[in-house]
């Protein structure tokens, strides 16, 4: 099977993870968003099933770092406006990234991995697309079971992103089958809330994801 192309959407770091504003100052929060994105991208590229990756972002620092990592950068506002003007926010960025990936590899299956998985293990990432290969569309929920960390579409299929609060239910309703991925999988552990940050701080394997204050 053709290797997966992965779309990683990341907000401008200065506007990302606002729910952490109560525990991190602006500089620390910005550094965290960028660090998590870089850790996520490194894990994505280390997965043998991944053929390539597209970073969709308005963050200039991340976009500048992408080519050196072997990632294709795509400017979020311009791409979303030109490709999917009827969509909004993250969904528009996802669709623009997927369209760009398909332009580079027309026959590749595509996946979306959110850029806030700093503990992502490439082995865990490989396991999910292998399970998704039997479905036209699939998704992996976050550890809480309500959000979404991975969205997939097989060759010839288009993504139907429904990101936001309660996205797992909406993705299932849109035809993205929920994959049976263990809750312990690193693929399900994103960083959204202060409690997630506490867990991240206890992971000695990922010190780079914690900004200095």
């Amino acid at each position: 099977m053709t290797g997966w192309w992965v779309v990683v959407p990341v907000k401008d770091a200065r506007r990302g993870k606002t729910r952490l504003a109560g525990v991190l100052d602006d500089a620390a929060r910005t550094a965290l968003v960028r660090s998590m994105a870089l850790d996520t991208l490194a894990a994505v590229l280390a997965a043998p099933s991944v053929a390539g990756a597209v970073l969709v972002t308005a963050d200039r620092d991340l976009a500048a770092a992408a080519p050196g990592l072997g990632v294709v950068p795509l400017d979020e506002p311009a791409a979303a406006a030109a490709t999917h003007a009827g969509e909004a926010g993250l969904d528009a960025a996802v669709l623009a990234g997927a369209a760009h990936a398909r332009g580079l590899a027309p026959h590749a299956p595509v996946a979306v991995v959110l850029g806030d998985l700093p503990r992502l293990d490439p082995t865990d990432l490989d396991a999910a697309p292998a399970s998704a290969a039997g479905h036209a569309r699939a998704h992996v929920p976050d550890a809480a079971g309500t959000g979404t960390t991975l969205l997939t579409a097989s060759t010839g299929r288009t993504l139907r992103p429904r990101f936001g609060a309660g996205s797992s239910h909406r993705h299932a309703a849109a035809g993205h089958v929920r994959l049976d991925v263990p809750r312990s999988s690193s693929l399900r552990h994103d960083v959204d809330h202060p409690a997630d940050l506490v867990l991240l701080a206890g992971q000695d394997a990922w010190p780079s994801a914690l900004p200095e204050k």
Side-chain angles (χ1 to χ4, degrees):
M1 184 184 74
T2 303
W4 290 79
W5 269 78
V6 176
V7 177
V8 181
V10 181
K11 275 186 179 182
D12 186 321
R14 295 166 296 181
R15 298 187 295 106
K17 298 302 172 187
T18 55
R19 282 176 285 191
L20 300 178
V23 294
L24 296 176
D25 63 30
D26 289 348
R29 182 168 49 82
T30 297
L32 175 64
V33 171
R34 289 176 177 150
S35 185
M36 288 196 300
L38 292 173
D39 283 342
T40 302
L41 287 167
V44 165
L45 293 173
S49 63
V50 173
V54 176
L55 170 67
V56 187
T57 188
D59 190 280
R60 293 183 178 180
D61 287 357
L62 286 174
L69 298 172
V71 177
V72 179
L74 190 63
D75 180 66
E76 177 184 348
T83 313
H84 295 282
E87 300 290 337
L90 181 55
D91 290 347
V94 164
L95 290 171
H100 195 73
R102 284 273 168 80
L104 297 171
H107 303 296
V110 294
V112 179
V113 174
L114 297 191
D116 58 354
L117 295 165
R119 292 169 285 165
L120 181 60
D121 185 328
T123 303
D124 289 343
L125 179 57
D126 266 340
S131 299
H135 304 286
R137 298 175 182 87
H139 81 282
V140 173
D142 61 10
T146 57
T148 303
T149 59
L150 175 79
L151 200 66
T152 71
S154 62
T155 300
R157 305 287 183 168
T158 56
L159 294 166
R160 297 170 178 170
R162 303 288 190 275
F163 284 100
S167 64
S168 179
H169 175 75
R170 291 199 304 278
H171 281 137
H176 285 272
V177 175
R178 177 172 173 149
L179 297 179
D180 186 17
V181 174
R183 189 175 183 276
S184 60
S185 171
S186 62
L187 185 56
R188 296 188 62 179
H189 289 271
D190 54 357
V191 176
D192 273 328
H193 303 282
D196 301 323
L197 199 60
V198 172
L199 290 174
L200 181 62
Q203 298 291 320
D204 292 338
W206 296 99
S208 66
L210 293 175
E212 295 182 0
K213 292 189 68 176

